[in-house]
Amino acid sequence: MQICCYDNCTGCGACANLCPRGCIEIKPDKYGELHPVVNEDKCVSCKICVANCPANKKLIFNEPIKVYASWRRNNAKMKDSASGGVGAALAEKWIKQGGIVFGTEFDDSFRAIVRREDNLKGIEAFKGSKYVQSYVGESYNEVKELLKQGKKVLFFGTPCQIAGLYTVVDRNTVDLTTVEILCHGVSSNEYLQEQLRYIEKKIHGEKYDNLTFRTNRWMMDFYFGLWDNDKIVFSQQAYENEYFRGFLTGLTLRESCYQCKYKNKERLGDILIGDFIGFGKHIPFNEPHSRPSLIFVMNSKGMNLIESAQQELVMVERTLEEALIDGRSLKEPFPRHKKQKVFRQIYEKKGFIDAIHESVGDEIRGCKKANRKMHMKRNIKMLLYKTLGIRIQGGKIYRGN
C-alpha cells in the first residue's frame, strides 16, 4: 500500500506512530532516505496512515505575532550552540520547571535520533545544528503518553516533524509546546556515515566523541569538526568537506526537500527558531550584540515559553519584513544542484565519496584554491593559541579562553 506520493514523503514517521497494528516501519531506501515500509501481511487497509499523512493533508499555518532577534546574556553558554543559543535556554528553563524535552542528538554511532530528556545534563547533546535527517522512532507516541500522564512536554523538530507530531497529538493540548527549527533541508544519514568512515582513515583511528557543523567555538563555525572532549581531532571548512558541501549546495538533500511545503512565513510550531540572517544589515542595529537567533512567536503558548526564559535572553523586537529579506529558508525550498541527478547515479554504483568527487570535485578544488590565504591565517592563529595562549579575534588580542 502506498501511503503518499513517494517523492512527497518527508520521512516524518507519523504513519508508523499512528498504525494501530504496528505494521509500518521507517527504513532507509537506496539513497538512505527514510520511508515507510508496510507489512502487507499484517495490514488491514484501515488507511489511518493515508488519511493522516501530513503530505496528504491541508495543514493549518499561522503568521507570527512577534519577531525577535535574540541571544543569551551569558556568552559562555553559547559555545556549543549554532547561533544565539535560544533553543538551549528554552530547554534548560523547561527542565528546571519539571518538564520533559524532546530533541535531536547523535547516538554512539553518530546517527541522529529524536529522544526525550528530563535533566540538564541530558539536553546538552541537543545543542548545535545536526545537518542530517533524524529518526523519530516512537517519539510521537511517547509524547502522547506523557501528556496523558499530565507531564509538560517541549518538542523541538523540523517543520515536517512538527506536522507529524500533530497527527498523533492535538496541537492545542495545553501541556504541549513545540519549537520549530528553521530548516535548510536534510541529507541522508548514510551519506554522513560514509563521510565519517572516510575521515577515520585519515586520522588513523584517533577517537572522537562529538561532531559539529555550526558552533560558537572559536574559528570552528561552518567547519566539519570532530572532537575528543574539547580537543579538536579533525576540522575541514564547510565547502571543502564532501558531506557539508553536498548539504549546503543542494546536492544531497532529501527529494521531498526540493518541493518542501513548509517554506513560508506562516509556520506550524508555537515558536520558530533559527539564524537571523542579515540582522542589522538592512535595518540598522548599532548596539553591541552577539550572533543572534531569529524567533517567530506564533501564539500565546509560544509567548509564554519565551517570557519564561527572558532573564536568560536578550530580546530585540524586529519586523517580519527584515527576517524575510535574507531568510531564504523562510520563503522557498533550497534549489536542486544542477548535478544532483548525476550524483545519485554515481552514488548507486560507487558510494558517497566517489559520487561527490566525480560530480563536484572541480568545485571543491576551486574552493580549496580560493581559501588558501584564509587557511594560512587560520593556521597561524591556531598555532599562536596552542603555543602561547594568544587568541586573535575581531582585530583584538586575547589571552586564554
Side-chain angles (χ1 to χ4, degrees):
M1 182 178 67
Q2 183 170 327
I3 297 171
C4 69
C5 172
Y6 196 84
D7 287 347
N8 290 342
C9 173
T10 64
C12 73
C15 52
N17 279 259
L18 284 166
C19 181
R21 295 182 65 85
C23 63
I24 301 175
E25 287 187 79
I26 305 298
K27 294 184 176 181
D29 68 3
K30 62 183 178 180
Y31 303 114
E33 294 179 2
L34 299 174
H35 281 273
V37 177
V38 180
N39 183 335
E40 301 289 353
D41 293 333
K42 294 173 65 177
C43 178
V44 294
S45 297
C46 67
K47 297 194 175 178
I48 291 174
C49 55
V50 176
N52 290 280
C53 173
N56 298 334
K57 294 176 68 176
K58 184 176 181 180
L59 304 173
I60 299 173
F61 297 90
N62 297 302
E63 279 202 18
I65 59 175
K66 291 285 185 181
V67 176
Y68 296 99
S70 182
W71 55 92
R72 298 195 74 153
R73 297 183 187 277
N74 185 340
N75 282 340
K77 290 186 176 182
M78 290 168 53
K79 182 180 72 170
D80 291 317
S81 297
S83 50
V86 168
L90 298 177
E92 288 169 17
K93 189 65 177 180
W94 196 268
I95 293 291
K96 289 176 182 177
Q97 293 176 337
I100 295 172
V101 177
F102 282 75
T104 293
E105 65 177 36
F106 287 120
D107 66 12
D108 292 340
S109 300
F110 290 93
R111 294 185 180 274
I113 57 171
V114 176
R115 59 169 297 161
R116 57 185 274 193
E117 289 290 353
D118 60 5
N119 63 82
L120 292 175
K121 183 178 179 182
I123 60 174
E124 284 294 310
F126 296 162
K127 289 182 177 179
S129 298
K130 313 291 193 301
Y131 286 154
V132 65
Q133 181 159 31
S134 56
Y135 177 66
V136 301
E138 289 289 317
S139 295
Y140 306 152
N141 284 332
E142 284 187 64
V143 171
K144 185 177 182 179
E145 183 58 36
L146 289 166
L147 292 171
K148 284 182 180 178
Q149 297 171 16
K151 304 291 186 182
K152 294 184 180 296
V153 175
L154 181 64
F155 189 96
F156 288 80
T158 60
C160 53
Q161 289 173 339
I162 300 293
L165 175 66
Y166 286 162
T167 67
V168 178
V169 180
D170 184 351
R171 67 190 297 170
N172 296 313
T173 303
V174 174
D175 289 335
L176 170 68
T177 301
T178 57
V179 181
E180 183 180 335
I181 304 299
L182 183 58
C183 183
H184 166 89
V186 294
S187 292
S188 159
N189 224 314
E190 299 308 310
Y191 299 162
L192 180 59
Q193 293 300 310
E194 288 194 43
Q195 176 71 83
L196 289 172
R197 290 195 291 271
Y198 181 67
I199 293 172
E200 285 167 2
K201 293 177 182 178
K202 295 184 177 183
I203 60 176
H204 306 295
E206 220 175 325
K207 293 182 180 180
Y208 56 93
D209 57 16
N210 192 17
L211 162 61
T212 57
F213 296 99
R214 300 286 313 288
T215 175
N216 281 296
R217 295 182 185 222
W218 183 56
M219 296 179 66
M220 281 300 297
D221 191 32
F222 278 106
Y223 274 77
F224 189 102
L226 300 180
W227 303 78
D228 180 14
N229 291 314
D230 279 339
K231 175 191 171 187
I232 187 68
V233 173
F234 175 88
S235 68
Q236 192 170 35
Q237 196 272 341
Y239 289 96
E240 298 178 21
N241 174 263
E242 291 86 356
Y243 180 85
F244 213 162
R245 184 179 190 92
F247 171 80
L248 290 174
T249 61
L251 182 72
T252 60
L253 300 184
R254 182 187 178 92
E255 188 61 31
S256 58
C257 294
Y258 299 115
Q259 50 202 2
C260 177
K261 67 178 182 179
Y262 304 101
K263 301 288 189 177
N264 197 300
K265 64 181 179 181
E266 297 180 333
R267 313 301 297 192
L268 280 176
D270 296 316
I271 71 166
L272 171 140
I273 60 174
D275 293 332
F276 200 135
I277 300 172
F279 173 68
K281 177 181 174 183
H282 306 284
I283 300 174
F285 183 78
N286 298 319
E287 299 176 29
H289 65 276
S290 296
R291 188 169 63 189
S293 294
L294 171 69
I295 303 176
F296 278 9
V297 181
M298 312 309 298
N299 52 37
S300 59
K301 282 203 291 184
M303 185 59 74
N304 290 338
L305 175 63
I306 291 298
E307 289 178 347
S308 73
Q310 61 184 352
Q311 290 185 339
E312 285 284 327
L313 300 172
V314 176
M315 295 180 61
V316 182
E317 188 166 356
R318 306 299 277 184
T319 66
L320 175 60
E321 290 71 26
E322 181 188 14
L324 290 172
I325 295 172
D326 292 328
R328 185 177 198 168
S329 291
L330 293 168
K331 298 182 290 187
E332 60 188 8
F334 199 85
R336 186 190 306 271
H337 193 289
K338 63 183 180 181
K339 294 184 178 179
Q340 187 255 357
K341 292 184 179 179
V342 173
F343 163 80
R344 287 197 161 200
Q345 289 169 357
I346 302 171
Y347 173 76
E348 287 187 59
K349 297 175 182 178
K350 298 184 178 181
F352 175 74
I353 296 297
D354 282 348
I356 289 286
H357 288 168
E358 292 184 30
S359 60
V360 295
D362 55 338
E363 295 179 16
I364 293 176
R365 288 188 290 274
C367 184
K368 288 181 177 180
K369 184 177 180 180
N371 285 341
R372 279 177 185 169
K373 287 185 179 180
M374 180 192 74
H375 288 318
M376 287 177 63
K377 291 179 180 178
R378 182 174 183 269
N379 290 339
I380 291 170
K381 288 181 180 180
M382 293 290 264
L383 181 62
L384 287 171
Y385 179 69
K386 288 179 179 179
T387 57
L388 301 175
I390 295 173
R391 181 162 53 90
I392 301 173
Q393 188 170 1
K396 297 181 180 180
I397 298 175
Y398 303 89
R399 289 192 176 273
N401 295 322

